[in-house]
Amino acid sequence: KVLASLDQGRTHVFLNTHEQYPGDFAKNPDFSLPGERLKREIRRRAGQGRTKMIDATGLATRLCGNAIMGNIFMLGFACQSGALPVSVTSLEEAIRLNGAAIDDNLRAFAWGRLAAVDADAVEAAAAETDTTPADRTLSQSVDEMIARRVEFLTGYQNAAYAERYRARVTAVRDTEVRAVPGETGLTEAVARYLFKLMAYKDEYEVARLYTDGSFQRQITSQFEGDYKLEFHLAPPIMAKPDPKTGPPQKTGFGPWMMTAFRVLAAFKGLRGTAFDPFGRTQERRMERKLITDYEVLLEDLISKLTPETHSIAIALASIPEKIRGYGPVKEEHLARAKAEESALLDQLRAGPEPRREAAE
């Protein structure tokens, strides 16, 4: 409906590029927003040079401390661009007359105006005030992607475990450089999904994540005053299946679980050993087998990697993306992922289709 209202050559579009996932994402984990396609279509409908785009929500959040200020930021952005038939003075007076968060709204309006004439300056100011934790930002290079995961796996288990990961990824990277110069898709896939398999979230990891300080910082940033923590868990040794639905039933545990988590986190060295009390469950055995199976797969991919098999190799290396959830949910996803993996392996082993000669 919005696109239909655009009059090419007359309409000016000021687009807030911040992406907010709709409820469909909860039902479809593979859902993705067609952001770039939407941008291209808006530019086409509005006409050449009549569309300006900026992440107003992201900038307003960092500069004004509130995502809702993105609306006023956009108002200032459009106003300074000369697209509104209302003066700056009138708009500022309207903000004052409204009487709600006057100073914050005026500040957001001013930042939006500045962004219209010097977006780089606004981005630089926002970067100085950005307090986003490092673990909530995307890696900017393959080297950074690998290094961050090595650091995580060292904390997850130990340095030897992290080195096992690094060595596998390095072997793939070296092969990709030789076989398909200039491409990094396979290395990136292996860096992501070998890590996903090796950092499976067992009892020790849940305990570590609750007690390493990040959870407490998150709670402190969101809540004030007295509060009480309650944890809803389904420990594999204790949880009973729901008589109606089948999956294990969760039980509520009080604040004392933080103490239990600290004790449990200290015993992460038992993971995967003969002394691991949780390691004998079917799910934990499956998770360890997934790692070794993936490592065997990587050896196969390395031995067969060519420009022609590169795309299939990336698809195979990305199969762990399909394995989601815990318990019965994970088993269901695993079955579908393995079926897809089998089909891709058949393609890989069959080799590229012979090229057909053009008819004379």
Side-chain angles (χ1 to χ4, degrees):
K1 292 180 180 179
V2 174
L3 286 174
S5 69
L6 301 187
D7 185 354
Q8 192 173 64
R10 181 183 178 192
T11 303
H12 289 267
V13 177
F14 298 89
L15 182 68
N16 181 359
T17 59
H18 180 75
E19 295 183 353
Q20 188 73 34
Y21 274 78
D24 294 8
F25 179 70
K27 300 177 182 178
N28 177 14
D30 294 316
F31 178 87
S32 62
L33 289 170
E36 292 305 316
R37 180 170 62 81
L38 288 172
K39 292 175 186 176
R40 288 196 302 271
E41 182 64 11
I42 290 169
R43 289 192 188 98
R44 186 184 73 80
R45 294 287 191 99
Q48 185 68 29
R50 290 181 171 271
T51 301
K52 291 187 177 181
M53 303 185 182
I54 192 166
D55 181 6
T57 300
L59 290 170
T61 301
R62 286 179 285 170
L63 293 166
C64 306
N66 192 335
I68 202 171
M69 293 298 163
N71 295 327
I72 300 297
F73 184 102
M74 285 300 293
L75 182 67
F77 188 69
C79 176
Q80 190 64 34
S81 299
L84 301 182
V86 184
S87 69
V88 170
T89 303
S90 296
L91 288 171
E92 290 177 337
E93 182 62 19
I95 290 172
R96 292 188 183 94
L97 289 173
N98 188 52
I102 296 173
D103 290 340
D104 290 340
N105 279 296
L106 287 174
R107 186 164 63 253
F109 183 71
W111 279 118
R113 291 181 60 201
L114 179 58
V117 295
D118 194 347
D120 290 341
V122 175
E123 289 280 0
E128 291 179 2
T129 62
D130 191 1
T131 57
T132 305
D135 61 357
R136 292 181 180 261
T137 60
L138 295 175
S139 298
Q140 300 301 306
S141 66
V142 178
D143 288 328
E144 183 183 356
M145 180 192 303
I146 296 169
R148 289 174 68 173
R149 285 160 173 76
V150 167
E151 180 182 3
F152 186 97
L153 289 172
T154 302
Y156 175 90
Q157 183 76 358
N158 53 40
Y161 193 68
E163 186 55 36
R164 174 183 171 185
Y165 166 83
R166 189 203 301 271
R168 289 290 182 185
V169 176
T170 300
V172 171
R173 190 176 193 178
D174 291 344
T175 303
E176 187 174 33
V177 167
R178 292 193 302 270
V180 198
E183 296 290 342
T184 61
L186 182 58
T187 301
E188 291 179 34
V190 173
R192 287 190 178 97
Y193 298 117
L194 176 58
F195 170 79
K196 178 181 178 179
L197 295 177
M198 292 183 71
Y200 60 88
K201 196 171 287 185
D202 59 5
E203 294 76 12
Y204 303 109
E205 179 62 358
V206 170
R208 186 183 76 88
L209 292 175
Y210 270 123
T211 57
D212 69 354
S214 58
F215 173 70
Q216 187 59 53
R217 286 192 296 272
Q218 186 176 358
I219 291 293
T220 302
S221 68
Q222 295 184 41
F223 301 98
E224 296 179 352
D226 294 331
Y227 57 83
K228 179 182 178 182
L229 296 175
E230 183 172 350
F231 302 90
H232 295 267
L233 308 168
I237 297 176
M238 301 168 52
K240 296 180 180 179
D242 188 292
K244 295 182 179 179
T245 62
Q249 291 179 301
K250 290 188 177 182
T251 303
F253 298 87
W256 62 269
M257 274 304 298
M258 286 299 289
T259 301
F261 283 149
R262 291 187 185 93
V263 173
L264 187 57
F267 285 94
K268 66 179 182 179
L270 297 178
R271 179 188 284 120
T273 70
F275 302 102
D276 183 358
F278 309 105
R280 297 180 180 85
T281 65
Q282 179 182 349
E283 186 170 359
R284 296 294 168 258
R285 292 199 303 269
M286 174 189 69
E287 285 162 339
R288 293 196 298 272
K289 187 174 186 301
L290 284 173
I291 298 172
T292 55
D293 286 351
Y294 191 78
E295 290 175 319
V296 171
L297 173 65
L298 294 183
E299 293 293 336
D300 197 15
L301 296 183
I302 287 175
S303 67
K304 295 180 173 62
L305 189 62
T306 65
E308 292 73 26
T309 63
H310 188 243
S311 60
I312 296 178
I314 293 174
L316 278 164
S318 302
I319 284 293
E321 171 64 23
K322 311 286 185 180
I323 306 171
R324 299 164 176 149
Y326 301 93
V329 175
K330 189 169 190 174
E331 291 176 6
E332 182 180 339
H333 282 287
L334 176 61
R336 289 200 292 265
K338 284 298 183 182
E340 184 175 340
E341 180 183 77
S342 179
L344 288 169
L345 279 171
D346 288 342
Q347 292 182 43
L348 179 70
R349 288 162 183 163
E353 293 184 5
R355 297 177 61 182
R356 297 180 180 179
E357 297 294 334
E360 295 183 357

